[in-house]
């Protein structure tokens, strides 16, 4: 049992635990327009999804005991290898601060408690290394703490302090707290990993050749001609797929419709200062993809300690990222660090022989007998498209972002399967950063110092599941249940324009590495599905794209044109009114205009957002503030479609030789997951062209995909293509359906503090 201030229908049945009247309840309509009533903060006790101690079910206790026995029995020699000590909590007063990532006295004291060593100052700091450092400021704690994961080198510790022998001999592993590793887990950047693969493959082929030299067994040799691979898009997935293939020796051509980061920066400057939008070089298009001018978040839900994620992190460090991203609980880069990193990445690809074509747009695919034979490209700076060229390739990796809507249309013209998928739309809410610091840290707020203090700039992550089964739900007349949640929170950041057309308004958030801005912004979005598209008479595979465009155009009309963004204070949004004279300042630099954002979306979506905001204010008292400003509109949280592909070869199910990859293809949701998808695709393509012999999962682990789309037609097609997937796929689809109905599963619990585990 823990005490939280937010109740969720998923975690806490409303009829049993919080029969609280909704502040906007009415006998006729779920949301009339009364004066705003701020719900009193009440603390309710709920059972967490992750139960501890006496709250565990008997079956869970049994499994935990069995796992504990396995862990204890697996330790053969306590005095060899590495001991990993987790959840070492150091108070803020005893810690040098967020930027210090070495072992210090306060941390040694916590290590001494685990080892039961009497004098912490006698422990040699050289024997320990920090693996992870997070900041936990949840309100359920007595005080905020830094939480560490530390590796202890036993041999080094004994050589420096022999008196620790008795204490190590009594050390027992504990699940989730103390773990013994016979060997240190080493991770390398992708360049080193690929070269190790090549060396091992060469040795294996040489041994097989010597073994079979007298048996007349023919060996499969590398092709004399390098396979020509086109990679379309230079976002994370495209860059990392190019890196893997180039290291394996393929002839790679990287095609990017936008410009280099240097020229792209000038184009974005022209947009911000002179309102000149370059349709092919902006916040969405260009080297590095849409994530370049963003917060540069490296947080991922596909497994922080997985081999593939560690390889991505080490590769980023290799190209210039600070080493603290390997340790930070919530690593991020910021635009100022991404720009030089991408420049180094580009130069390395060119040194490997990769041909990079910037300012080149792919207009069509060259297809013959159901196989991609190349691409048709043109100069993206020439709107007349009079200089079309046909380039032949053996395979095409499609690594475009979710804003490349013309690519979707082109694929549809070739009758490729595009499956509509659910995504989320909403607003971007902005608060003064000092307010968020105060809400999250209370007395520690003065330790932030605009990103230069002891504690990190405060952020938040909130989620509310709105079900028609909840007695306080606004969906009394609607059968759909929805999730509202914060997305892409940018502490110390600013709101930026991510439109790709002058007639549309779409926004996002960004921040620099120090996160020193006066504002904090985050998307507040609600899930939408094909039912919502149908309600607006949008049908077909691109119904989600039409849905996005509809509200982007409505936002542009509300703003009055010239890239002015419509805004509304949160209290006004809750009360369905517009206050023109009392608008708080905004970080958006192209101008804002007071507008009725409560009329932008259909009423059921507005109701869901409004209801969730009232719940968020219970969890974050002060979230509903006169200084809180909603900006419209955020629609591109993820791709509205998914391009079906084979799970083993990564090849399109509709077109041979085409490899859809990354966020635009519906298989990723951020910088790291897109990069990982690009890596696995690169290995798969290399294997298909006999450049790589081996099993990528043995080194980087099993690929973590974006899951299956809930679409029966696609499911039937997959089962028809490969009947052996039948039982496993049905299980996955059933699991996905169940978990979707409890949407907060992907966000764990709503976190009331800047913590990351």
């Amino acid at each position: 049992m823990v005490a939280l201030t937010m109740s969720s229908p998923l975690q806490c049945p409303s009829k049993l635990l919080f029969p609280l009247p909704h502040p906007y309840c009415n006998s006729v309509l779920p949301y009339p327009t009364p004066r705003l009533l701020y719900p009193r903060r009440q603390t309710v006790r709920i059972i967490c999804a992750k139960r501890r101690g006496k709250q565990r079910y008997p079956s869970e206790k049994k499994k935990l005991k069995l796992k504990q026995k396995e862990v204890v029995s697996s330790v053969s020699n306590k005095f060899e290898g590495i001991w990993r000590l987790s959840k070492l909590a150091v108070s803020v007063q005893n810690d040098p601060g967020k930027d210090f990532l070495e072992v210090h006295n306060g941390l040694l004291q916590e290590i001494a408690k685990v080892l039961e060593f009497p004098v912490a100052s006698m422990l040699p700091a050289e024997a320990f290394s920090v693996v992870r450092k997070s900041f936990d400021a949840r309100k359920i704690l007595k005080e905020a703490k830094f939480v560490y994961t530390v590796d202890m080198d036993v041999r080094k510790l004994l050589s420096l302090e022999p008196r620790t022998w008795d204490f190590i001999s009594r050390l027992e592993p504990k699940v989730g707290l103390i773990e013994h590793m016979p060997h240190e887990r080493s991770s390398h950047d992708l360049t080193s990993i690929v070269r190790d693969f090549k060396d091992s493959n060469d040795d294996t082929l040489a041994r097989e050749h010597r073994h079979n030299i007298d048996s007349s067994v023919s060996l499969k040799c590398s092709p004399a001609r390098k396979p020509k691979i086109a990679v379309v898009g230079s976002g994370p997935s495209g860059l990392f797929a190019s890196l893997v293939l180039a290291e394996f020796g393929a002839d790679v051509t990287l095609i990017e419709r936008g410009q280099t980061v240097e020229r792209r920066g000038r184009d974005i400057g022209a947009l911000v200062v002179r309102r000149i939008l370059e349709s092919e070089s902006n916040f969405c298009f260009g080297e590095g993809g849409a994530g370049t001018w963003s917060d540069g978040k490296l947080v991922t839900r596909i497994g922080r300690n997985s081999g593939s994620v560690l390889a991505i992190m080490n590769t980023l460090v290799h190209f210039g990222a600070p080493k603290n991203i390997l340790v930070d609980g919530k690593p991020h880069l910021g635009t100022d660090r991404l720009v030089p990193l991408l420049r180094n990445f580009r130069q390395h690809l060119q040194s490997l022989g990769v041909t990079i074509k910037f300012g080149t747009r792919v207009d069509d695919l060259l297809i013959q007998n159901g196989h991609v034979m190349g691409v048709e490209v043109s100069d993206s700076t020439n709107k007349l498209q009079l200089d079309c060229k046909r380039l032949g390739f053996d395979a095409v990796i499609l690594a475009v972002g979710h804003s490349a809507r013309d690519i979707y249309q082109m694929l549809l013209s070739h009758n490729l399967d595009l499956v509509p998928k659910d995504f989320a739309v909403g607003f971007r809410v902005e608060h003064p950063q000092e307010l968020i610091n105060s809400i999250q840290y209370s007395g520690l707020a003065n330790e932030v110092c605009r990103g230069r203090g002891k504690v990190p700039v405060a952020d938040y992550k909130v989620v509310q599941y709105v079900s028609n089964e909840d007695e306080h739900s606004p969906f009394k007349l609607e059968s759909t249940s929805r999730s509202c949640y914060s997305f892409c929170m940018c502490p110390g950041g600013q709101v930026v324009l991510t439109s790709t057309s002058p007639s549309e308004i779409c926004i996002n958030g960004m921040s620099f590495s120090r996160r020193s801005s006066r504002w904090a912004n985050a998307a507040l979005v609600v899930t939408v599905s094909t039912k919502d598209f149908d309600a607006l008479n949008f049908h077909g595979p691109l119904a989600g794209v039409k849905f996005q465009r509809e509200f982007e155009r409505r936002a542009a009309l509300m703003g009055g044109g010239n890239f002015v963004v419509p805004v509304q204070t949160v209290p006004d949004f809750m009360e369905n009114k517009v206050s023109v004279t009392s608008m708080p300042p905004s970080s958006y630099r192209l101008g804002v205009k007071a507008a009725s954002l409560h009329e932008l979306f259909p009423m059921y979506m507005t109701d869901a957002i409004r209801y969730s905001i009232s719940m968020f204010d219970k969890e974050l008292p002060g979230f509903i503030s006169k200084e809180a400003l909603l900006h419209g509109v955020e629609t591109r949280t993820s791709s509205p479609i998914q391009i079906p592909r084979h799970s083993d070869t990564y090849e399109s199910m509709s077109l041979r030789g085409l490899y859809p990859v990354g966020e635009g293809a519906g298989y990723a949701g951020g910088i790291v997951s897109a990069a990982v998808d690009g890596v696995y695709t690169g290995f798969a393509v290399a294997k298909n062209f006999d450049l790589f012999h081996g099993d990528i999962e043995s080194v980087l682990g099993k690929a973590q995909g974006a899951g299956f789309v809930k679409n029966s037609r696609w499911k039937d097609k997959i089962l028809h293509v490969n009947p052996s997937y039948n039982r496993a796929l049905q299980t996955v689809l059933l699991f996905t359906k169940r978990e979707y109905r409890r949407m907060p599963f992907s966000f764990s619990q709503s976190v009331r503090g800047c913590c990351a585990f």
Side-chain angles (χ1 to χ4, degrees):
M1 290 284 206
V2 298
L4 291 180
T5 59
M6 173 182 174
S7 50
S8 166
L10 171 66
Q11 303 161 336
C12 174
S14 59
K15 293 183 180 180
L16 296 178
L17 296 179
F18 61 94
L20 303 177
H22 190 272
Y24 303 98
C25 66
N26 185 280
S27 59
V28 180
L29 295 175
Y31 289 113
T33 59
R35 65 184 180 88
L36 177 64
L37 299 176
Y38 294 97
R40 288 193 330 182
R41 182 185 179 190
Q42 297 189 16
T43 300
V44 296
R45 297 179 68 80
I46 66 172
I47 300 176
C48 292
K50 187 175 183 180
R51 294 171 295 277
R52 294 179 174 85
K54 295 181 180 180
Q55 293 299 325
R56 289 194 176 98
Y57 293 133
S59 59
E60 292 177 320
K61 293 180 181 179
K62 184 178 180 180
K63 289 180 181 179
L64 187 61
K65 287 181 180 179
L66 291 175
K67 188 174 182 181
Q68 179 66 31
K69 288 182 180 179
E70 292 177 1
V71 169
V72 172
S73 61
S74 64
V75 180
S76 57
N77 188 349
K78 296 181 180 181
F79 304 99
E80 294 291 337
I82 300 293
W83 283 92
R84 175 160 290 183
L85 313 178
S86 302
K87 298 182 181 179
L88 303 175
V90 180
S91 64
V92 175
Q93 291 76 14
N94 296 331
D95 196 281
K98 62 178 176 59
D99 295 324
F100 190 87
L101 303 178
E102 305 296 329
V103 178
H104 54 85
N105 292 333
L107 181 56
L108 286 175
Q109 292 176 10
E110 298 302 318
I111 295 173
K113 291 178 183 178
V114 175
L115 299 178
E116 298 181 357
F117 193 75
V119 185
S121 59
M122 295 177 62
L123 293 175
E126 298 83 355
F128 305 94
S129 58
V130 177
V131 176
R132 185 72 42 78
K133 181 175 182 178
S134 305
F135 185 61
D136 192 347
R138 291 174 294 174
K139 297 296 189 291
I140 61 174
L141 302 177
K142 293 181 179 179
E143 60 177 340
K145 295 182 179 182
F146 286 97
V147 183
Y148 289 83
T149 299
V150 174
D151 278 356
M152 178 176 68
D153 190 323
V154 180
R155 184 171 293 182
K156 184 179 290 187
L157 177 61
L158 290 174
S159 64
L160 296 174
E161 182 48 75
R163 285 170 287 191
T164 58
W165 192 94
D166 289 337
F167 300 93
I168 295 174
S169 66
R170 295 196 296 266
L171 192 63
E172 294 293 337
K174 296 181 182 178
V175 176
L177 296 175
I178 304 173
E179 178 186 6
H180 181 260
M181 299 179 292
H183 307 285
E184 183 177 3
R185 295 176 183 174
S186 59
S187 57
H188 304 284
D189 62 273
L190 275 172
T191 298
S192 301
I193 291 173
V194 173
R195 291 176 181 176
D196 289 343
F197 267 122
K198 290 169 64 177
D199 293 340
S200 62
N201 284 339
D202 291 342
D203 293 341
T204 301
L205 289 174
R207 288 194 299 269
E208 290 179 355
H209 180 71
R210 289 193 298 269
H211 180 266
N212 296 319
I213 193 169
D214 297 326
S215 60
S216 302
V217 176
S218 61
L219 292 174
K220 195 174 184 179
C221 301
S222 300
R225 183 182 70 85
K226 294 181 178 180
K228 296 183 64 177
I229 312 295
V231 179
V232 183
S234 67
S237 54
L239 288 173
F240 278 89
S242 299
L243 175 63
V244 170
L245 286 167
E247 288 287 354
F248 274 120
D251 183 359
V252 180
T253 299
L254 180 58
I255 303 173
E256 169 57 51
R257 68 194 302 166
Q259 300 296 332
T260 63
V261 286
E262 298 90 350
R263 181 171 171 181
R264 188 180 175 191
R266 293 193 294 270
D267 292 335
I268 289 175
L271 171 62
V272 173
V273 177
R274 300 192 300 274
R275 302 176 186 272
I276 301 175
L277 174 63
E278 291 290 340
S279 60
E280 304 291 351
S281 180
N282 44 56
F283 280 97
C284 288
F285 299 144
E287 187 175 18
T292 305
W293 266 264
S294 70
D295 187 61
K297 291 179 182 63
L298 302 179
V299 180
T300 178
R301 294 192 295 271
I302 64 174
R304 174 67 194 274
N305 294 320
S306 65
S308 57
V309 172
L310 291 175
I312 296 299
M313 294 294 192
N314 280 281
T315 304
L316 294 175
V317 170
H318 177 74
F319 289 128
K323 291 185 178 180
N324 62 5
I325 68 171
L326 303 175
V327 177
D328 283 347
K330 285 187 175 181
H332 80 105
L333 291 171
T335 295
D336 50 328
R337 287 175 175 167
L338 276 167
V339 169
L341 186 153
L342 287 169
R343 187 186 303 118
N344 295 336
F345 207 133
R346 180 209 316 156
Q347 292 171 353
H348 180 76
L349 290 178
Q350 291 173 331
S351 70
L352 294 174
V354 176
T355 302
I356 305 179
K357 296 180 177 292
F358 289 106
T360 304
R361 180 181 51 245
V362 172
D363 299 317
D364 203 357
L365 297 176
L366 305 180
I367 301 174
Q368 184 177 344
N369 298 326
H371 195 287
V372 170
M373 306 302 294
V375 294
E376 184 177 289
V377 300
S378 63
D379 184 355
S380 63
T381 61
N382 184 356
K383 297 182 180 180
L384 297 179
Q385 302 184 20
L386 298 177
D387 57 342
C388 294
K389 298 179 181 178
R390 291 173 169 250
L391 305 177
F393 293 101
D394 299 309
V396 175
I397 296 178
L398 198 63
V400 298
H402 56 56
S403 292
R405 295 165 171 173
D406 56 335
I407 294 292
Y408 296 154
Q409 191 65 52
M410 179 268 291
L411 295 176
L412 197 60
S413 68
H414 289 290
N415 296 321
L416 263 75
D417 283 338
L418 303 180
V419 181
K421 77 176 185 66
D422 300 349
F423 56 99
V425 299
F427 307 109
R428 187 154 285 267
V429 63
E430 185 171 71
H431 295 81
Q433 183 62 54
E434 290 185 358
L435 175 62
I436 300 300
N437 294 340
S438 177
I439 292 173
Q440 298 290 57
Y441 295 161
S442 300
L444 278 177
N446 58 356
E447 295 286 347
V448 175
C449 300
R450 299 187 71 173
R452 299 183 181 274
K454 290 187 67 173
V455 301
V457 181
D459 66 0
Y460 59 84
K461 181 171 67 175
V462 286
V463 61
Q464 177 67 30
Y465 182 66
V466 186
S467 171
N468 57 352
E469 299 176 358
D470 179 13
E471 65 178 270
H472 302 308
S473 170
F475 296 153
K476 296 303 180 185
L477 302 178
E478 192 195 8
S479 61
T480 303
S481 299
R482 302 177 185 276
S483 288
C484 295
Y485 56 94
S486 62
F487 172 80
C488 187
M489 199 278 168
C490 296
Q494 57 185 292
V495 178
V496 296
L497 179 74
T498 54
S499 301
T500 52
S501 170
S503 62
E504 300 166 353
I505 286 290
C506 180
I507 56 174
N508 198 2
M510 67 161 285
S511 61
F512 295 103
S513 57
R514 187 56 66 177
R515 291 173 164 171
S516 58
S517 166
R518 294 165 44 202
W519 292 279
N521 68 79
L524 288 183
V525 292
V526 57
T527 53
V528 293
S529 64
T530 53
K531 292 183 179 179
D532 302 298
F533 312 154
D534 293 339
L536 294 179
N537 202 27
F538 297 142
H539 309 288
L542 300 184
V545 174
K546 299 173 185 176
F547 187 86
Q548 291 174 330
R549 277 182 164 154
E550 172 66 21
F551 293 104
E552 290 173 8
R553 289 168 181 166
R554 290 187 188 185
L557 291 175
M558 278 189 171
N562 211 16
F563 304 118
V564 175
V565 164
V567 296
Q568 188 176 21
T569 65
V570 172
D572 285 353
F573 178 78
M574 302 296 281
E575 290 187 320
N576 291 342
K577 70 177 186 179
V578 179
S579 299
V580 179
T581 58
S582 58
M583 295 291 297
S586 169
S587 67
Y588 182 73
R589 297 177 59 182
L590 291 174
V592 297
K593 177 184 177 183
S596 302
L597 291 181
H598 57 272
E599 299 177 354
L600 179 66
F601 293 115
M603 183 56 66
Y604 54 85
M605 293 173 59
T606 303
D607 287 345
I609 296 174
R610 186 187 285 114
Y611 174 77
S612 299
I613 289 176
S614 67
M615 295 295 103
F616 297 159
D617 189 66
K618 292 182 179 181
E619 187 177 359
L620 303 172
F623 192 86
I624 299 178
S625 166
K626 293 181 180 179
E627 298 177 287
L629 196 62
L630 290 173
H631 299 66
V633 63
E634 175 121 3
T635 58
R636 306 184 192 183
T637 55
S638 65
S639 174
I641 63 99
Q642 190 173 64
I643 307 173
R645 70 185 185 187
H646 294 281
S647 60
D648 51 350
T649 64
Y650 291 77
E651 191 175 27
S652 167
M653 291 183 173
S654 306
L655 185 61
R656 298 194 307 275
L658 181 68
Y659 297 84
V661 58
E663 190 163 352
Y667 294 97
I671 292 175
V672 173
S673 59
V676 168
D677 199 48
V679 168
Y680 280 96
T681 302
F683 273 96
V685 174
K687 192 167 187 175
N688 292 345
F689 284 93
D690 208 29
L691 298 176
F692 161 61
H693 307 84
D695 182 14
I696 180 61
E697 292 184 2
S698 63
V699 174
L700 296 182
K702 189 174 182 179
Q704 298 291 328
F708 294 95
V709 174
K710 298 190 306 173
N711 186 291
S712 59
R713 287 181 56 215
W714 184 38
K715 177 185 73 172
D716 295 340
K717 185 166 292 189
I718 294 176
L719 301 183
H720 178 72
V721 172
N722 194 339
S724 65
Y725 290 161
N726 195 330
R727 181 173 300 176
L729 180 59
Q730 288 181 352
T731 302
V732 171
L733 287 170
L734 179 61
F735 174 79
T736 304
K737 184 175 182 180
R738 287 173 179 168
E739 292 296 344
Y740 180 80
R741 294 181 184 230
R742 319 178 206 156
M743 185 66 177
F745 83 99
S746 63
F747 297 92
S748 183
Q749 286 227 292
S750 300
V751 181
R752 293 201 61 211
C754 188
C755 60
F757 300 101

